[in-house]
Amino acid sequence: MQKRALITGVTGQDGSYLAELLIAKGYAVHGLRRRSSTFGTQRIEHLIFGESPSLHLHYGDLSDGNGLVRLIREIRPHEVYNLAAQSHVRVSFDQPAYTADVTAVGTLRLLEAIRDVQDDTGEQIRFYQASSSEMFGKVVETPQKETTPFYPRSPYGVAKVYGHWITVNYRESYGLHASCGILFNHESPRRGETFVTRKITRAATRIKLGLQDKLFLGNLDAQRDWGFAGDYVEAMWLMLQQDEADDYVIAMNELYSVRDFCEQTFSRLGMDYRDHVEIDPRYYRPAEVDLLLGDSTKARTRLGWTPQTSFAELVDMMVEGDLELARQEAVIKGLPAGRKAA
Ligand code: NAP
Ligand code: F7E
């Protein structure tokens, strides 16, 4: 029998990689999309157009609980992956109530919908919650693992703690097969352009081709454990294939600073980041997360999860992707594309 999966946040970075993975595994994949005045489906166009579209999109929103119930009743998924969120930490300080409604209470609405439909049909629906290393915030131990206490430092982090614990609570209260992946930062050429890694690779490649001069950043000393999103969605799927639901840290177990990321990106393009990067205090956060370093031993031993992409390969992949975008932009602008390329 063909398995059916529902992905919320399918138009986002992780949603696009997870949809590809599940389609490759033979699933019928359904995705929740928000209505917007533009298409917003750039990351998944290859899956929804063409001769045999393999991804089925449905309008919906995590703020609309009744809509979620209707959708789950209609699709009757075997697996639900909750990737939708207001996912930007800096923006969560500007929109704290909205972030709480979508990222925290949205998770509750989805769990309630699953519980209702599962009770009615008697068919198990397995659930994945996109928890985050941001929950560790002002870390109380290093590296961070599943047992490390949470100390969130942003409205986003607080909302994710709620989403995490309500998922654990529904597992323990109602026996739902509900697992949380506590994922550390993961990036790709599809990463949103306002997250720091993509902001850096986008700007550095545009600077290389003469499309801009400067890159304005905030705290260069922040340290993160960065992996490749394509590797991390495999862990999400593995969690839902286990007999018992559980929570897992997913990380590379390696630490780099924002400055390191700048240094590596600009040097690949034959440049020195110090000639182009300037500090703009607007990008500082009211409360910063200085250091996140994961310990993913549990996922590696119990799930057999092994990331395939190194930090250097990740940077290369993102630089390549953005160099191509910059070249296209240079052509449109009539600039001698690639003139300055190494
Ligand atoms: P992303 O690129 O920002 O994607 C977020 C997705 O959520 C988008 O599809 C977005 O739709 C959708 N969304 C936002 N508000 C919604 C709403 N009210 N109702 C329905 N959908 C809504 O995020 P990502 O990097 O793929 O991350 C996926 C999930 O993992 C998120 O929950 C994030 O918080 C979490 N996470 C991410 C990381 C990371 O490093 N990437 C680490 C840990 C946890 P639009 O396309 O219409 O905006
Ligand atoms: O910032 C510093 C910034 O926005 C990383 C989300 O996917 O991962 C992500 O959250 C660091 C921070 O990611 C700029 O202060 C410096 O210390 O790329 P980011 P994040 O805040 O770690 C977690 C795990 C998630 O769950 C989230 O959904 O970089 N930084 N200068 C900057 N950050 C940004 N965005 N822009 C700058 O100019």
Side-chain angles (χ1 to χ4, degrees):
M1 186 201 44
Q2 188 183 32
K3 274 197 186 171
R4 292 178 297 278
L6 170 65
I7 304 173
T8 73
V10 75
T11 53
Q13 170 188 258
D14 291 6
S16 67
Y17 284 107
L18 181 63
E20 281 172 5
L21 179 82
L22 296 181
I23 287 167
K25 290 186 181 296
Y27 282 65
V29 183
H30 296 260
L32 186 79
R33 72 183 292 199
R34 299 194 280 176
R35 192 272 155 183
S36 84
S37 65
T38 53
F39 281 117
T41 50
Q42 300 88 327
R43 294 182 175 106
I44 49 172
E45 266 167 15
H46 55 298
L47 304 175
I48 53 178
F49 296 122
E51 291 202 348
S52 53
S54 40
L55 174 63
H56 313 281
L57 293 183
H58 307 262
Y59 282 107
D61 199 296
L62 284 195
S63 61
D64 178 3
N66 291 340
L68 296 174
V69 174
R70 265 200 308 278
L71 194 60
I72 290 177
R73 230 179 258 297
E74 179 192 327
I75 298 169
R76 294 175 70 160
H78 301 94
E79 296 173 9
V80 173
Y81 295 85
N82 183 30
L83 309 188
Q86 190 304 91
S87 72
H88 203 282
V89 173
R90 179 64 191 84
V91 171
S92 78
F93 287 99
D94 300 326
Q95 298 191 294
Y98 175 75
T99 302
D101 188 37
V102 172
T103 305
V105 184
T107 305
L108 171 66
R109 293 188 186 101
L110 192 54
L111 284 163
E112 276 288 276
I114 288 169
R115 189 160 76 93
D116 274 12
V117 176
Q118 190 172 280
D119 282 353
D120 287 355
T121 62
E123 294 164 3
Q124 189 186 56
I125 301 171
R126 296 187 173 198
F127 179 75
Y128 173 83
Q129 168 60 11
S131 290
S132 166
S133 53
E134 273 291 309
M135 302 189 304
F136 297 123
K138 190 174 178 185
V139 298
V140 301
E141 67 175 346
T142 296
Q144 296 86 49
K145 48 186 184 286
E146 291 78 4
T147 50
T148 303
F150 300 141
Y151 190 149
R153 290 273 279 174
S154 64
Y156 169 80
V158 174
K160 280 288 179 189
V161 170
Y162 178 88
H164 181 89
W165 280 119
I166 199 69
T167 301
V168 172
N169 181 255
Y170 271 49
R171 178 169 77 217
E172 294 176 354
S173 304
Y174 307 116
L176 287 193
H177 191 294
S179 297
C180 300
I182 307 173
L183 270 53
F184 282 62
N185 299 52
H186 47 281
E187 320 293 314
S188 74
R190 297 183 198 168
R191 182 60 144 153
E193 292 185 25
T194 60
F195 296 98
V196 78
T197 56
R198 186 78 197 285
K199 186 171 167 184
I200 294 167
T201 58
R202 192 84 174 97
T205 50
R206 292 186 85 247
I207 290 168
K208 182 72 190 171
L209 295 201
L211 290 157
Q212 76 182 69
D213 295 327
K214 294 284 176 204
L215 165 59
F216 295 95
L217 293 173
N219 178 15
L220 300 188
D221 296 321
Q223 293 173 288
R224 291 291 185 274
D225 180 332
W226 279 294
F228 170 50
D231 289 337
Y232 284 35
V233 298
E234 173 89 26
M236 299 176 187
W237 176 77
L238 282 168
M239 282 177 222
L240 296 208
Q241 309 318 306
Q242 308 305 305
D243 291 338
E244 300 289 329
D246 205 343
D247 308 320
Y248 298 88
V249 160
I250 302 298
M252 298 295 288
N253 314 344
E254 285 175 12
L255 200 59
Y256 294 92
S257 66
V258 173
R259 191 186 306 283
D260 294 333
F261 202 100
C262 287
E263 199 280 323
Q264 298 237 8
T265 301
F266 278 82
S267 67
R268 269 169 179 68
L269 292 160
M271 299 187 289
D272 186 333
Y273 82 93
R274 290 169 297 189
D275 297 334
H276 302 282
V277 172
E278 286 186 12
I279 302 303
D280 184 337
R282 276 184 310 164
Y283 296 112
Y284 290 150
R285 293 165 183 193
E288 176 63 294
V289 171
D290 296 320
L291 177 155
L292 291 174
L293 173 64
D295 174 353
S296 55
T297 306
K298 179 176 169 185
R300 290 172 194 239
T301 50
R302 296 211 197 150
L303 301 177
W305 175 73
T306 317
Q308 304 295 324
T309 314
S310 69
F311 179 76
E313 288 166 337
L314 174 66
V315 175
D316 278 345
M317 192 193 296
M318 293 180 71
V319 167
E320 271 311 302
D322 281 334
L323 205 45
E324 183 50 35
L325 282 185
R327 285 198 188 104
Q328 290 168 12
E329 192 183 342
V331 169
I332 290 165
K333 292 193 167 148
L335 296 172
R339 176 170 49 91
K340 292 194 201 165

